[in-house]
């Protein structure tokens, strides 16, 4: 009986919360809404230490927070969300930590494609972005299954950067551009003697992140103000926002603040992108 | 202490505007702040200082304003070169100098050559610079080497790209600290590859008002940062 009324209370609170978010969303929609928000989800381990939790528990809390933040973004009609789930540099962490993180990632990727998951509720297509060959086979296969299961979703996009660094992405784009030019231009070179010409469009075409426009906002939690090799190319004109809270502590109001900052600077960024 | 500091000197025009001064006063006040910064960098033992003097995107400003800036850069080089020599400061230039006025290009080449053996502070001036263009020009150089059979595309790695970036004029191309003034929270296409693990510091002070106390605040902030480079705590 007590459990039933507790569930009922939770449902009421969630419904009220959802209603309030919709009201605030309507107010925010009077101004421009960012098309693409990227998150560096920093602070899970510090959160676990702060709460005296066992190691690894911080990442689980971080995952719940991520689901909430995705819900808020898609409710606000943000079409593209990108998250920095695991950097190539993170492989340098203790092997036990890397293994437990990978296990959690695999478990959560499989959860993503369940019927009631957030990606199906909001029609989200999922991309896994990075040097996926560096992942173990089970994680690679889980990622492929998730991409196949969601390829027909078209309302929004979630890009999960895993085994990713921006410098690795750029190197891969250069390599692919050179290979493409080499194949296409071999005959041309003999005739004209001019070298292959690589331009911005060639590099961008081969970026893993060609699936999304440049982020309007990059949010990094835990107060650290650096990009840590995330979306270096794509961040050229992004608004950078670094709230002091740890990732599991971030909430709807931080997102509102980021969107308001974006709207305040919108006229300036529009002018700058026209200039370029 | 950071070995390499990069600065986006933003806010000269807003500084002039807030005082109802003509824009040129803002740029001249900005130059005085730039001189203060060089002195501070020398006094605090900073090895390399990179400054974003002019972005490739700034050409869209009114011609009168860009002419004014080019004229100011020429005056600075003419009158300050002796001072840089005395202070043992080496000057390097990154960016596409070919679009700058011929006279300014020639002054820059002379300054780079005259100061090349100086060693107290390496001042890298980014003029008509774009972070994306820097990466693309590095890619082009690599593509030519692939075409000439010097490199196999499968051998392209981060080291090869970094060697071809314009910042290869220094042994420390990655700034430890980036300072941007005037409250803008973005990189604006400055040094994108090189900023992978750079600590970013944003201050609301407009560039002409940036002085010793603001510089010390930036250094203190840097010293409190925990740099992990993706690894363990």
């Amino acid at each position: 009986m007590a459990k039933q009324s507790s569930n009922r209370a939770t449902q009421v609170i969630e419904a009220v919360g959802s209603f309030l978010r919709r009201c605030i969303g309507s107010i925010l929609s009077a101004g421009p809404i960012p098309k693409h928000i990227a998150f560096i989800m920093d602070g899970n381990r510090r959160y676990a230490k702060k709460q005296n939790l066992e190691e690894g528990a911080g990442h689980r809390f971080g995952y719940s927070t991520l689901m909430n933040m995705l819900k808020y973004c898609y409710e606000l009609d943000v079409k593209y969300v990108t998250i920095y789930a695991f950097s190539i540099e993170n492989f340098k962490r203790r092997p036990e930590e890397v293994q437990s993180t990978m296990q959690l990632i695999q478990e959560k990727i499989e959860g993503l494609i369940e019927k009631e998951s957030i990606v199906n509720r909001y029609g989200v297509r999922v991309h896994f972005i990075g040097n996926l060959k560096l992942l173990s086979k089970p994680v690679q296969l889980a990622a492929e299954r998730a991409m196949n299961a969601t390829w027909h979703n078209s309302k929004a996009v979630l890009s999960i950067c895993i085994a990713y660094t921006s410098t690795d992405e750029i190197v891969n784009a250069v390599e692919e551009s050179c290979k493409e030019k080499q194949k296409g231009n071999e005959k041309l070179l003999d005739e004209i003697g001019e070298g292959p010409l690589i331009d911005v469009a060639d590099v961008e075409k081969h970026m893993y992140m060609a699936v999304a426009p440049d982020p309007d906002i990059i949010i990094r939690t835990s107060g650290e103000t650096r990009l840590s090799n995330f979306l270096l190319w794509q961040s050229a004109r992004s608004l950078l926002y670094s709230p002091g809270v740890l990732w599991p502590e971030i909430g709807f109001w931080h997102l509102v603040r980021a969107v308001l900052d974006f709207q305040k600077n919108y006229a300036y960024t529009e002018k700058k992108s026209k200039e370029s | 202490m950071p070995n390499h500091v990069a600065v986006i000197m933003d806010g000269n025009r807003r500084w002039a505007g807030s005082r109802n001064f003509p824009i040129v006063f803002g740029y001249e006040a900005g130059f005085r702040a730039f001189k203060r910064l060089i002195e501070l960098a020398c006094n605090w033992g900073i090895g390399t200082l990179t400054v974003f003097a002019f972005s490739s995107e700034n050409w869209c400003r009114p011609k009168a304003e860009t002419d004014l800036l080019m004229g100011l850069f020429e005056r600075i080089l003419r009158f300050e070169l002796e001072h840089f020599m005395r202070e043992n400061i080496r000057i390097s230039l990154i960016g596409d100098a070919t679009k700058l006025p011929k006279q300014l290009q020639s002054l820059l080449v002379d300054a780079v050559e005259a100061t090349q053996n100086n060693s107290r502070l390496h001042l890298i001036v980014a003029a008509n610079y774009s972070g994306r263009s820097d990466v693309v020009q590095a890619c082009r150089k690599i593509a030519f080497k692939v075409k000439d059979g010097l490199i196999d595309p499968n051998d392209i790695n981060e080291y090869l790209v970094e060697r071809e970036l314009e910042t290869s004029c220094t042994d420390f191309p990655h700034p430890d600290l980036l300072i941007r003034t005037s409250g803008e929270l973005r990189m604006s296409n400055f040094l994108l590859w090189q900023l992978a693990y750079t600590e970013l510091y944003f201050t609301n002070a407009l560039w002409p008002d940036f002085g010793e106390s603001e510089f010390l605040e930036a250094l203190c902030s840097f010293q409190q940062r925990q740099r992990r480079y993706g690894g363990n705590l």
Side-chain angles (χ1 to χ4, degrees):
Chain A
M1 182 79 167
K3 194 174 175 191
Q4 256 182 344
S5 51
S6 160
N7 282 342
R8 182 67 58 82
T10 310
Q11 280 172 350
V12 168
I13 291 169
E14 175 50 37
V16 169
S18 175
F19 173 72
L20 280 172
R21 286 197 307 271
R22 276 203 303 279
C23 291
I24 290 161
S26 317
I27 298 169
L28 286 177
S29 302
I33 294 291
K35 276 206 263 320
H36 182 178
I37 298 181
F39 293 98
I40 302 177
M41 306 179 292
D42 198 10
N44 294 312
R45 295 184 296 169
R46 271 167 283 171
Y47 180 81
K49 248 192 205 153
K50 186 173 157 187
Q51 304 290 336
N52 289 320
L53 303 168
E54 62 174 36
E55 205 181 286
H59 291 294
R60 289 190 182 274
F61 277 94
Y63 177 77
S64 305
T65 302
L66 171 61
M67 290 301 109
N68 286 334
M69 293 305 285
L70 288 179
K71 183 169 68 178
Y72 306 150
C73 284
Y74 297 133
E75 280 175 355
L76 273 178
D77 212 21
V78 174
K79 288 268 176 297
Y80 297 87
V81 176
T82 300
I83 60 171
Y84 201 7
F86 197 85
S87 161
I88 294 175
E89 302 296 331
N90 295 156
F91 282 115
K92 289 194 285 206
R93 292 181 177 178
R94 285 179 302 110
E96 312 82 58
E97 188 187 333
V98 173
Q99 197 184 2
S100 81
T101 308
M102 282 294 138
Q103 262 166 351
L104 177 69
I105 286 175
Q106 186 183 339
E107 182 191 308
K108 296 310 176 188
I109 292 175
E110 279 153 11
L112 266 183
I113 50 179
E114 277 163 19
K115 222 163 111 190
E116 292 308 312
S117 77
I118 198 167
V119 301
N120 287 325
R121 222 182 327 145
Y122 291 97
V124 182
R125 183 172 175 182
V126 179
H127 294 283
F128 286 87
I129 305 284
N131 198 339
L132 304 185
K133 294 194 294 288
L134 297 176
L135 299 168
S136 65
K137 259 288 172 246
V139 179
Q140 280 186 53
L141 290 172
E144 254 164 68
R145 276 197 302 273
M147 286 195 277
N148 289 336
T150 61
W151 76 269
H152 58 277
N153 290 346
S154 57
K155 292 218 182 86
V157 173
L158 172 62
S159 303
I160 301 176
C161 292
I162 184 167
Y164 172 91
T165 59
S166 196
T167 43
D168 180 75
E169 181 187 23
I170 293 171
V171 165
N172 180 70
V174 173
E175 195 182 309
E176 293 302 316
S177 301
C178 285
K179 283 178 179 166
E180 186 188 54
K181 294 289 174 182
Q182 210 179 28
K183 257 190 256 171
N185 281 351
E186 261 163 14
K187 195 162 169 218
L188 203 65
L189 291 178
D190 292 335
E191 287 168 359
I192 298 176
E194 279 180 29
L197 198 62
I198 298 238
D199 61 19
V200 170
D202 292 312
V203 174
E204 288 194 322
K205 192 166 68 173
H206 292 290
M207 291 284 203
Y208 300 139
M209 279 298 296
V211 297
D214 292 342
D216 297 296
I217 311 175
I218 299 180
I219 299 177
R220 180 176 187 145
T221 48
S222 86
E224 305 286 11
T225 319
R226 54 178 179 257
L227 287 176
S228 295
N229 216 336
F230 179 57
L231 303 184
L232 299 175
W233 174 276
Q234 297 84 351
S235 67
R237 293 179 194 93
S238 308
L239 176 68
L240 308 173
Y241 178 53
S242 47
V245 288
L246 302 173
W247 174 254
E249 295 166 339
I250 196 174
F252 178 67
W253 293 109
H254 298 100
L255 185 64
V256 169
R257 165 84 194 267
V259 172
L260 286 172
D261 280 349
F262 167 78
Q263 292 182 337
K264 210 166 67 180
N265 286 285
Y266 187 71
Y268 174 86
T269 44
E270 275 299 284
K271 181 176 150 211
K272 283 290 161 188
S273 46
K274 286 192 175 95
E275 281 176 1
S276 61
Chain B
M1 287 296 283
N3 182 39
H4 181 169
V5 175
V7 183
I8 301 178
M9 305 181 291
D10 199 9
N12 299 306
R13 295 187 298 167
R14 265 168 284 177
W15 184 91
S18 67
R19 288 159 174 73
N20 287 321
F21 289 162
I23 289 179
V24 65
F25 283 24
Y27 287 130
E28 287 183 359
F31 170 60
R32 290 192 290 276
F34 167 66
K35 281 188 75 167
R36 281 197 299 272
L37 174 70
I38 294 189
E39 196 184 326
L40 287 165
C42 287
N43 292 343
W44 284 92
I46 308 292
T48 308
L49 177 67
T50 302
V51 294
F52 204 8
F54 192 82
S55 161
S56 55
E57 289 157 26
N58 293 154
W59 289 115
C60 297
R61 291 183 181 175
K63 189 169 184 305
E65 194 181 319
T66 54
D67 285 348
L68 203 151
L69 260 175
M70 295 299 134
L72 181 64
F73 290 153
E74 279 180 43
R75 278 203 323 273
I76 291 167
L77 281 169
R78 272 187 225 282
F79 296 116
E80 296 298 323
L81 185 56
E82 209 179 290
H83 172 75
F84 289 142
M85 287 305 294
R86 248 192 341 263
E87 296 297 321
N88 197 9
I89 295 170
R90 178 186 166 193
I91 297 176
S92 291
L93 175 71
I94 60 174
D96 182 5
T98 59
K99 295 233 167 68
L100 303 174
K102 286 267 178 287
Q103 200 138 334
L104 179 57
Q105 285 186 48
S106 155
L107 285 167
L108 281 164
V109 163
D110 291 344
V112 166
E113 207 176 291
T115 62
Q116 63 185 318
N117 294 319
N118 294 348
S119 56
R120 186 181 177 198
L121 170 72
H122 190 176
L123 173 66
I124 300 176
V125 179
N128 194 28
Y129 180 85
S130 144
R132 283 187 181 174
S133 301
D134 195 4
V135 171
V136 171
Q137 68 82 30
C139 298
R140 281 205 190 107
K141 286 187 195 152
I142 291 172
F144 271 108
K145 289 184 179 172
V146 166
K147 173 210 127 187
D148 291 340
L150 297 169
I151 310 175
D152 187 279
N154 293 316
D155 293 336
I156 298 171
N157 58 27
E158 294 184 18
Y159 169 72
L160 283 182
V161 173
E162 196 146 300
R163 213 172 51 179
E164 303 295 354
L165 292 171
E166 296 197 58
T167 43
S168 59
C169 58
T170 169
D171 291 335
F172 307 100
H174 295 267
D176 299 292
L177 172 66
L178 171 84
I179 300 171
R180 181 170 189 157
T181 50
S182 88
E184 291 298 323
L185 304 174
R186 62 189 84 243
M187 244 82 79
S188 298
N189 205 1
F190 180 51
L191 291 182
L192 301 178
W193 172 288
Q194 298 86 336
L195 292 179
Y197 294 99
T198 302
E199 296 294 334
L200 310 174
Y201 177 80
F202 299 103
T203 171
N204 289 330
L206 300 176
W207 177 246
D209 294 328
F210 190 86
E212 184 163 25
S213 59
E214 288 79 14
F215 186 63
L216 290 180
E217 262 177 53
L219 291 184
C220 283
S221 171
F222 174 79
Q223 288 184 330
Q224 280 159 24
R225 309 277 178 104
Q226 276 192 335
R227 307 185 80 188
R228 297 186 291 275
Y229 302 93
N232 286 319
L233 272 169

